[in-house]
Amino acid sequence: MKVVVKTVLDAPVERIWAEVKPPDLLRFVAEPLVIFDLIDPPSLPAQWSDGSYLVRMRFLGLIPLGRQWIVTSTPQPEDHAKGVFRIRDKGVGDIAKVWDHLIVIEARPDGRTAYRDEVEVRAGVLTLGVWLFAQGFYRHRQARWRRLVRQGLRYPGQAA
């Protein structure tokens, strides 16, 4: 089943693209709904690159959601000149056998950025529940994104 959630961020596309690449963004936009604990490798890169990262997930920091592989790739940059950027996580986990997440960010004529999460989820008999969770999770993520932009793209505790 597919989830598509869209928003407009009041920042230029180049700034949003730069912000998507460090793993700190994932932590910020997922919290407090989902907490990711890294298992392998022992640390995340400074920026996402093509690679695989095993994490343990906890709902609200308490309820175990199992392990998940975050498998990142950056599709070819053929659209960068047109102001379109993409990053993909073709994940798989203990619950979701398919968690194929594509982030698409596009420049808008007004200088803002169109941001879209597209996620294909499959989890056998649990697919409907996982799809419902993903609907809420990506709406939460985008609300956190908008908050971060309103804060001048500064994370809490970060100096101005």
Side-chain angles (χ1 to χ4, degrees):
M1 297 180 80
K2 190 159 192 169
V3 174
V4 178
V5 182
K6 304 174 186 178
T7 195
V8 175
L9 300 172
D10 194 16
V13 72
E14 294 82 8
R15 183 65 173 105
I16 297 301
W17 177 240
E19 204 61 42
V20 164
K21 294 187 271 182
D24 289 343
L25 176 76
L26 173 61
R27 288 185 191 106
F28 179 80
V29 297
E31 290 177 353
L33 200 57
V34 176
I35 304 298
F36 295 92
D37 299 315
L38 189 61
I39 299 172
D40 185 39
S43 63
L44 289 172
Q47 293 193 359
W48 293 116
S49 59
D50 292 1
S52 298
Y53 311 91
L54 182 61
V55 296
R56 184 172 291 111
M57 300 179 306
R58 294 177 288 128
F59 181 67
L60 300 174
L62 302 170
I63 302 165
L65 295 175
R67 296 174 308 157
Q68 177 83 12
W69 280 100
I70 298 173
V71 183
T72 56
S73 64
T74 305
Q76 294 298 321
E78 70 277 354
D79 292 336
H80 286 194
K82 298 177 186 174
V84 179
F85 300 82
R86 295 177 182 88
I87 190 165
R88 183 178 190 187
D89 166 21
K90 194 167 183 172
V92 60
D94 293 339
I95 296 174
K97 302 309 177 198
V98 172
W99 188 279
D100 191 357
H101 176 210
L102 180 66
I103 295 172
V104 180
I105 61 174
E106 298 179 69
R108 291 175 37 117
D110 62 5
R112 297 185 301 162
T113 300
Y115 179 96
R116 182 172 72 244
D117 287 302
E118 299 177 8
V119 189
E120 178 72 28
V121 296
R122 282 187 240 133
V125 297
L126 300 175
T127 297
L128 179 59
V130 170
W131 179 82
L132 289 169
F133 171 80
Q135 289 282 349
F137 178 65
Y138 284 98
R139 282 169 174 68
H140 167 79
R141 280 175 49 116
Q142 290 188 10
R144 297 276 292 177
W145 249 117
R146 290 187 300 272
R147 176 180 165 197
L148 185 63
V149 170
R150 282 192 308 272
Q151 294 171 182
L153 294 164
R154 286 186 307 275
Y155 293 90
Q158 184 180 28

